[in-house]
Amino acid sequence: WFLEAGQAVFSNSGEPLWLDGVISDISDRKFAEDALQKANKELERLASIDALTQIANRRQFDEYLENEWRRMRREKKKLSLILTDIDFFKLFNDNYGHQEGDNCLKDVAQAIRSAQRRPSDLAARYGGEEFVVVLPDTDSDGAVYVADMIRKKVQDLKIPHAYSKAEPVVTLSLGVATVVPTGEMPSRKLINAADEA
């Protein structure tokens, strides 16, 4: 990389006489700027990813939901949300230990991610053993279909859970809600509806 800075020198009559300037090698600076830009992108990525599960974190979910809420409101389209919880996870953690609990969370998160069908869908860790999936431009039938795929994928993992009161393997409870956002309605209403479901 080179930087050229110069100017023309003119005679009293306005005729150009010569160019006066400097050419500098700025390669080191450009390489440092490129490295800084890459580091900033990586920091941005890390700030939006849950460290344990490697899917979107709560911060990214909150931002994404607000953006999609505004977009679906503008386009007058449906926005669906799946809120899911690992059944009897405290009993799992208490009896199998936190390391196995972490492994369970990782496996469940990847199963949830694998059920995503479109780039616009977002799976995120909502908190603890809760996960959420945002499905823009998706009606309730489509959202229930995705929720059922998630349920099956997690059940197919066959993670033993002898202390569950539901099944002898890890299972999920899933709530689905769908709305067409309006100006008066806060996005929190969609989360609450999925939680109640």
Side-chain angles (χ1 to χ4, degrees):
W1 290 91
F2 294 94
L3 175 66
E4 181 182 357
Q7 64 183 23
V9 176
F10 297 93
S11 69
N12 290 338
S13 62
E15 295 292 317
L17 299 174
W18 70 82
L19 292 175
D20 186 23
V22 176
I23 297 175
S24 305
D25 181 352
I26 59 165
S27 298
D28 289 344
R29 185 179 92 197
K30 285 306 246 180
F31 292 138
E33 286 173 359
D34 287 347
L36 182 60
Q37 190 174 27
K38 286 178 186 169
N40 282 338
K41 282 184 181 175
E42 180 63 11
L43 279 174
E44 193 175 303
R45 186 190 73 77
L46 290 173
S48 64
I49 299 295
D50 179 68
L52 177 66
T53 61
Q54 295 300 301
I55 64 173
N57 63 15
R58 176 67 182 267
R59 177 177 168 258
Q60 185 178 2
F61 160 72
D62 289 338
E63 289 175 8
Y64 191 75
L65 178 62
E66 287 309 313
N67 290 338
E68 289 304 305
W69 185 266
R70 286 190 297 271
R71 186 169 74 90
M72 294 297 104
R73 181 176 62 204
R74 197 171 48 249
E75 296 176 10
K76 296 177 177 42
K77 292 184 176 177
K78 293 178 180 174
L79 180 62
S80 291
L81 189 120
I82 302 168
L83 191 60
T84 181
D85 198 353
I86 298 175
D87 296 326
F88 305 103
F89 187 72
K90 183 177 181 341
L91 291 173
F92 185 96
N93 244 1
D94 290 347
N95 288 284
Y96 294 106
H98 291 285
Q99 186 62 47
E100 281 305 309
D102 286 352
N103 291 337
C104 175
L105 289 170
K106 290 178 200 175
D107 292 343
V108 167
Q110 294 312 308
I112 291 170
R113 174 190 273 165
S114 73
Q116 288 180 242
R117 292 291 170 237
R118 301 171 306 171
S120 62
D121 299 344
L122 177 79
R125 187 172 180 194
Y126 191 68
E129 73 278 4
E130 290 181 302
F131 298 90
V132 66
V133 182
V134 181
L135 303 165
D137 195 14
T138 303
D139 63 16
S140 57
D141 290 342
V144 168
Y145 176 79
V146 173
D148 196 46
M149 276 195 343
I150 291 169
R151 182 192 60 76
K152 287 176 184 171
K153 285 181 177 285
V154 169
Q155 199 159 14
D156 288 347
L157 293 173
K158 295 183 177 12
I159 301 170
H161 190 350
Y163 305 94
S164 172
K165 296 174 184 170
E167 295 282 332
V169 294
V170 168
T171 57
L172 300 177
S173 294
L174 300 105
V176 178
T178 303
V179 298
V180 176
T182 63
E184 307 81 48
M185 184 189 309
S187 61
R188 184 87 205 140
K189 186 167 182 169
L190 180 62
I191 298 169
N192 291 341
D195 194 28
E196 286 175 25

